[in-house]
Amino acid sequence: MTENLSVEQCFYNIEENYKRITARIAEAAAKSGRGAEDIRFMAVTKTVQPIFINHALSLGIDLIGENKVQELQSKMEFFKPADVEKHLIGHLQTNKVAKVLPLVTMIQSVDSVKLAQQISKTAEKLGKDMDILLEVNIGDEDSKTGFSADELLDSAAEIASFPFVHIRGLMAIPPICDNSDMARRFFSSAHQLFVDIGSKNIDNIDMSVLSMGMSHDYYEAILEGATMVRVGSSLFGSRRY
Ligand SMILES: *Cc1c(COP(=O)(O)O)cnc(C)c1O
């Protein structure tokens, strides 16, 4: 949150931000031939204090994303409602899988076959199933984790054979783009992969979630077919680490 603002001012800002974002989501959805209800909104709550997260939840937001297991764990006792849906969206090390599985309903950041296998094994032990998204490195950037477009289909087919994980779609983070046409091209290729894999009708793969678009580019992502956007700083203000 911005420094030196009262809690009331921060609450007010979150409300105004949320109104503005939902209006833009509805506009982009309409332009893409869909309705606002077709786009799931995730509030990305990394570095945000629980009092502000809970205020966002009181406005009707029903899904939050955290990118670190430890931070999520430390906030668990504060969420209201406690059972708000939570997804992990950051890189996950195999040695933290057992910690995070009980806390979330989806892991969006599955970036290797090995990680998916570990999730499946751990889920089996815990007696649950885990929904996952495969993270695509859509710009083939060395600095980012995720499957390259080339390896995605083969990896998806291999992961589909693990019985306790279920592939529900893709998460894509494009390179930083200085214009919206360029961003749209990356989102469009992620959408194409999403459609292609879905059309193969592989057992245990159900391509229903295309998670893409953040504060600066959710509008473009929706125009290109995102079904879920992940918004942090536009909602809560810029992050202080
Ligand atoms: C931080 C984060 C976001 C949200 O970013 P903003 O630009 O603050 O909206 C979305 N997705 C992932 C994976 C993130 O780590």
Side-chain angles (χ1 to χ4, degrees):
M1 306 300 299
T2 314
E3 247 162 307
N4 302 323
L5 289 183
S6 70
V7 169
E8 286 69 28
Q9 281 170 318
C10 292
F11 281 2
Y12 176 79
N13 288 350
I14 292 169
E15 284 164 36
E16 291 300 305
N17 291 341
Y18 188 49
K19 276 187 213 154
R20 193 187 64 244
I21 295 165
T22 46
R24 287 191 78 217
I25 288 175
E27 183 185 308
K31 276 195 182 174
S32 73
R34 294 176 294 167
E37 70 282 0
D38 298 319
I39 314 297
R40 187 100 197 261
F41 181 84
M42 168 190 280
V44 175
T45 52
K46 62 186 182 218
T47 78
V48 179
Q49 292 168 264
I51 182 175
F52 300 117
I53 299 172
N54 288 339
H55 189 66
L57 300 181
S58 77
L59 304 176
I61 292 169
D62 61 1
L63 172 62
I64 64 180
E66 285 277 348
N67 66 346
K68 293 200 173 115
V69 176
Q70 205 157 3
E71 184 175 343
L72 174 60
Q73 221 174 9
S74 72
K75 288 175 179 172
M76 285 299 289
E77 62 178 306
F78 300 109
F79 294 128
K80 273 191 211 140
D83 64 349
V84 58
E85 191 174 356
K86 305 159 199 85
H87 292 179
L88 187 77
I89 58 172
H91 177 68
L92 176 61
Q93 291 166 289
T94 48
N95 63 3
K96 298 219 173 114
V97 169
K99 262 192 191 144
V100 78
L101 281 199
L103 310 183
V104 297
T105 55
M106 184 182 272
I107 297 173
Q108 296 204 0
S109 40
V110 174
D111 54 11
S112 72
V113 173
K114 188 173 133 240
L115 175 61
Q117 185 171 35
Q118 184 64 40
I119 295 171
S120 186
K121 279 186 192 160
T122 310
E124 179 176 18
K125 276 191 207 132
L126 295 174
K128 68 187 279 183
D129 289 65
M130 184 50 61
D131 286 341
I132 61 171
L133 302 183
L134 303 184
E135 181 179 340
V136 198
N137 184 356
I138 200 68
D140 253 324
E141 296 170 282
D142 290 337
S143 60
K144 286 204 173 95
T145 54
F147 296 97
S148 69
D150 293 341
E151 67 185 342
L152 186 63
L153 178 60
D154 286 348
S155 303
E158 195 177 346
I159 291 170
S161 72
F162 304 147
F164 296 91
V165 290
H166 307 298
I167 300 175
R168 300 296 184 210
L170 304 178
M171 173 172 87
I173 307 177
I176 293 171
C177 295
D178 49 18
N179 68 73
S180 66
D181 284 347
M182 195 175 153
R184 286 186 64 168
R185 277 199 293 277
F186 285 115
F187 289 134
S188 165
S189 48
H191 182 254
Q192 194 58 53
L193 287 169
F194 177 74
V195 170
D196 287 348
I197 294 177
S199 71
K200 307 276 188 220
N201 288 319
I202 300 169
D203 273 355
N204 199 21
I205 298 184
D206 155 35
M207 283 280 147
S208 55
V209 181
L210 180 56
S211 169
M212 60 184 191
M214 318 195 330
S215 286
H216 60 287
D217 58 11
Y218 64 86
Y219 193 91
E220 287 80 9
I222 293 169
L223 293 181
E224 297 299 340
T227 70
M228 182 187 290
V229 294
R230 307 179 310 271
V231 177
S233 46
S234 285
L235 179 66
F236 292 111
S238 53
R239 282 182 286 276
R240 272 197 287 151
Y241 289 93

